[in-house]
Amino acid sequence: MNTVKINYQKELEKTLKELEEAEKVPSLLLHACCAPCSSYVMEYLASYFKITILFYNPNISEAGEYEKRKEELLRLMDSMPFRYPVSYRDSLYDPHEFYQAVPDRAKDKEGGESCFRCYHLRLEKTAKEAVEGGFDYFTTTLSISPLKNAQKLNEIGKALSEQYQIPYLYSDFKKKNGYKRSIELSAEYGLYRQNYCGCVFSKKEAKER
């Protein structure tokens, strides 16, 4: 049986149009992986939502790398102009959470089943905090990366939306030149751009490349 391919950018645009027509500005808990990926997503969505950024990334294997990405994200948030306010919500850094969810990726390249487990880990945390914080929507910046599977991200988001009874904002942020725009914004704000997602497995693959 063939899986129906959904254009998640069009799904996002449909939601944004509905919000504009209803003259609503809902709250959004946005999981952010790093400043470069967040740049375009914040620029785009802050015209429609009151955003709170959740920096939850236990996949980052080194504390120094984690702090560097976090500091760059905070610096970017302080520097960029937004139509509606963008605030920050911190999260405890505990890489053991990642290793419990993704025990071994030795034979699994980036974009495989282990990555899907990592998506689920970070999205479930976002969904739970969105419910606890009384947010209207939750989503992630991850779909902006050409290396991330937007179909899988949105499938996981949909399942968690149903489980926790909170709307997931569908997205494929790399569309409409989103990834290209993130590179432009990274250059404009002098952002640190890492060449791996953060985990030990992706760092090893980056070195091999």
Side-chain angles (χ1 to χ4, degrees), residues 64-92:
E65 179 71 19
Y66 179 90
E67 288 300 322
K68 189 170 185 177
R69 296 190 192 193
K70 174 181 165 181
E71 287 167 9
E72 279 293 86
L73 178 57
L74 289 168
R75 181 174 71 84
L76 178 65
M77 288 171 61
D78 286 340
S79 303
M80 287 185 74
F82 301 114
R83 181 179 180 186
Y84 295 115
V86 177
S87 57
Y88 180 80
R89 186 183 183 108
D90 208 347
S91 186
L92 181 68

Side-chain angles (χ1 to χ4, degrees), residues 151-208:
Q151 178 81 22
K152 200 67 181 177
L153 281 164
N154 284 285
E155 287 174 2
I156 292 169
K158 181 178 184 291
L160 291 169
S161 171
E162 293 168 356
Q163 181 180 347
Y164 291 99
Q165 295 296 292
I166 180 167
Y168 179 74
L169 189 68
Y170 293 116
S171 71
D172 191 353
F173 292 120
K174 70 178 73 66
K175 296 285 181 72
K176 293 188 71 175
N177 290 319
Y179 180 66
K180 180 184 175 186
R181 178 61 179 153
S182 74
I183 294 173
E184 293 170 352
L185 286 167
S186 295
E188 182 179 339
Y189 289 96
L191 298 178
Y192 162 64
R193 288 182 63 86
Q194 63 285 345
N195 67 343
Y196 67 106
C197 85
C199 72
V200 290
F201 311 114
S202 64
K203 187 173 185 178
K204 181 174 179 289
E205 287 172 20
K207 284 182 177 178
E208 289 171 355

Side-chain angles (χ1 to χ4, degrees), residues 10-206:
K10 286 191 175 177
E11 291 296 311
L12 172 59
E13 289 172 1
K14 186 165 69 175
T15 299
L16 299 181
K17 185 178 179 183
E18 288 170 357
L19 293 176
E20 278 192 315
E21 289 174 350
E23 297 184 341
K24 289 182 179 179
V25 185
S27 57
L28 169 69
L29 187 61
L30 174 63
H31 165 261
C33 55
C34 62
C37 288
S38 304
S39 59
Y40 165 73
V41 179
M42 291 192 298
E43 180 184 66
Y44 183 19
L45 295 184
S47 293
Y48 303 93
F49 296 91
K50 290 171 284 188
I51 298 173
T52 297
I53 296 291
L54 176 66
F55 189 71
Y56 173 68
N57 298 291
N59 58 302
I60 300 175
S61 59
E62 298 170 2
E65 179 71 19
Y66 179 90
E67 288 300 322
K68 189 170 185 177
R69 296 190 192 193
K70 174 181 165 181
E71 287 167 9
E72 279 293 86
L73 178 57
L74 289 168
R75 181 174 71 84
L76 178 65
M77 288 171 61
D78 286 340
S79 303
M80 287 185 74
F82 301 114
R83 181 179 180 186
Y84 295 115
V86 177
S87 57
Y88 180 80
R89 186 183 183 108
D90 208 347
S91 186
L92 181 68
Y93 172 55
D94 183 3
H96 295 295
E97 293 178 345
F98 170 75
Y99 292 116
Q100 285 176 343
V102 187
D104 185 18
R105 210 187 93 182
K107 297 179 181 178
D108 191 5
K109 295 293 184 183
E110 184 158 1
E113 182 60 36
S114 297
C115 287
F116 300 160
R117 291 183 188 180
C118 184
Y119 298 170
H120 191 280
L121 172 68
R122 291 189 277 175
L123 276 171
E124 184 168 33
K125 173 72 169 180
T126 310
K128 287 179 177 178
E129 294 220 7
V131 171
E132 290 169 7
F135 290 87
D136 297 308
Y137 290 85
F138 77 104
T139 196
T140 178
T141 62
L142 287 170
S143 70
I144 197 168
S145 169
L147 296 176
K148 299 294 185 287
N149 186 321
Q151 178 81 22
K152 200 67 181 177
L153 281 164
N154 284 285
E155 287 174 2
I156 292 169
K158 181 178 184 291
L160 291 169
S161 171
E162 293 168 356
Q163 181 180 347
Y164 291 99
Q165 295 296 292
I166 180 167
Y168 179 74
L169 189 68
Y170 293 116
S171 71
D172 191 353
F173 292 120
K174 70 178 73 66
K175 296 285 181 72
K176 293 188 71 175
N177 290 319
Y179 180 66
K180 180 184 175 186
R181 178 61 179 153
S182 74
I183 294 173
E184 293 170 352
L185 286 167
S186 295
E188 182 179 339
Y189 289 96
L191 298 178
Y192 162 64
R193 288 182 63 86
Q194 63 285 345
N195 67 343
Y196 67 106
C197 85
C199 72
V200 290
F201 311 114
S202 64
K203 187 173 185 178
K204 181 174 179 289
E205 287 172 20

